[in-house]
Amino acid sequence: MQQTSGMPTHIAIIMDGNGRWAKQRGLARSMGHREGAKTVEIITRHCLEIGIGHLTLFAFSTENWSRPKAEVEAIMNLLRDYLTQCEQQQNREVRTRFIGDRAPLAPDLVRRMDALEAATANNTRMNLNIAINYGGRDEILHAARRLACLVAEGKLDPRDIDAALFSQGLYTAGQPDPDMIIRPSGEQRLSNFLLWQCAYAELIYMDKLWPDFTPADLDTAIALYAGRDRRYGGISG
Ligand code: FPP
């Protein structure tokens, strides 16, 4: 199957470089995250304006707990501020979902995340996934355990397991795979992000740090994507 790229349906972003942005200015790392949260607002609005259907943002990984307690707390508090903004705005366009394992998160956060998901469930213009305590391997294990339980209970024949059934156990069940993954900050790796879903994603690495990332940078990334020849294992035709 070959597809002319054009506009991506689903953009995923690894929001990297907050710490370096702060360091360059002699500020605490938490200030970089604060600035990064402003970029979240700006880029989400831009995606909405240009008609992107799905946006996934990597905000906190399963590995980020190893950071200093104060930094983890600062990111969680930014998430609280974000939830407050969303609660006040009552946006009727964006369906917000949180992907990742909620078990270790503070109960007040989980309650408000659940409530925002419920409040925005009927919004259809854009789907926004915020990845919190998300890890690609963790997600795949979670999906595998689900199928193993069904097999153990005699409800599933292992021979019936295919990619579509497996995908139903992912946090992104029912959503299209990302067409492109953008990583600002110059690093060129996936860092455990959407490992299953990125099978055919175009990877776009950019030198800007996330707090400096602008709508024009997103447009540049989309132009790069549009120039790619997506072959899905086939040949150019
Ligand atoms: C990676 O940069 C960034 C994070 C681990 C946190 C991202 C969080 C936000 C943008 C704000 C909170 C999000 C929402 C949705 C309100 P880094 O700290 O690893 O940067 P570095 O590589 O320069 O040190």
Side-chain angles (χ1 to χ4, degrees):
M1 183 174 63
Q2 192 185 349
Q3 180 185 310
T4 35
S5 309
M7 274 301 261
T9 298
H10 185 171
I11 297 179
I13 307 180
I14 300 173
M15 304 188 289
D16 196 14
N18 296 346
R20 275 163 285 170
W21 184 93
K23 194 172 174 202
Q24 284 171 2
R25 289 160 179 77
L27 300 169
R29 292 178 58 83
S30 59
M31 297 307 288
H33 296 311
R34 180 181 291 266
E35 212 56 32
K38 291 182 193 164
T39 308
V40 167
E41 287 283 316
I42 293 165
I43 295 300
T44 303
R45 203 176 319 120
H46 185 60
C47 284
L48 196 58
E49 281 164 11
I50 62 173
I52 300 301
H54 300 259
L55 174 66
T56 298
L57 301 175
F58 203 1
F60 192 84
S61 78
T62 45
E63 289 72 34
N64 286 152
W65 297 105
S66 65
R67 294 187 176 212
K69 200 164 171 272
E71 183 173 345
V72 171
E73 203 46 42
I75 296 173
M76 295 301 160
N77 282 333
L78 286 170
L79 181 61
R80 286 188 176 88
D81 293 347
Y82 181 79
L83 286 162
T84 302
Q85 269 174 46
C86 293
E87 287 156 5
Q88 287 166 355
Q89 282 167 2
Q90 298 199 14
N91 186 300
R92 289 178 197 278
E93 296 176 314
V94 180
R95 176 175 188 176
T96 304
R97 289 189 264 203
F98 297 92
I99 60 170
D101 179 7
R102 294 173 198 203
L105 301 180
D108 71 295
L109 268 181
V110 176
R111 187 179 45 73
R112 293 172 71 192
M113 286 158 65
D114 287 343
L116 183 63
E117 284 189 345
T120 61
N122 294 322
N123 294 352
T124 54
R125 198 161 144 205
M126 187 171 90
N127 180 63
L128 172 65
N129 296 312
I130 299 180
I132 300 279
N133 193 33
Y134 174 87
R137 287 184 170 180
D138 182 62
E139 179 181 39
I140 290 168
L141 286 171
H142 181 266
R145 267 187 224 114
R146 170 182 164 269
L147 293 181
C149 288
L150 291 173
V151 170
E153 290 163 11
K155 293 177 182 161
L156 176 67
D157 182 337
R159 284 167 296 199
D160 290 337
I161 297 173
D162 59 11
L165 188 65
F166 194 89
S167 298
Q168 286 173 23
L170 300 173
Y171 296 122
T172 53
Q175 300 185 39
D177 287 342
D179 298 295
M180 63 190 287
I181 296 189
I182 303 172
R183 182 168 191 156
S185 94
E187 308 289 354
Q188 302 198 358
R189 54 180 169 262
L190 280 173
S191 299
N192 205 9
F193 189 42
L194 301 175
L195 295 183
W196 172 279
Q197 298 89 336
C198 75
Y200 285 100
E202 296 296 326
L203 308 180
I204 312 268
Y205 298 108
M206 299 178 82
D207 271 335
K208 281 281 189 81
L209 303 175
W210 176 247
D212 292 329
F213 197 85
T214 63
D217 293 320
L218 190 89
D219 294 345
T220 299
I222 292 173
L224 288 169
Y225 165 84
R228 300 269 177 97
D229 178 21
R230 301 187 79 193
R231 294 192 297 277
Y232 300 93
I235 55 173
S236 292

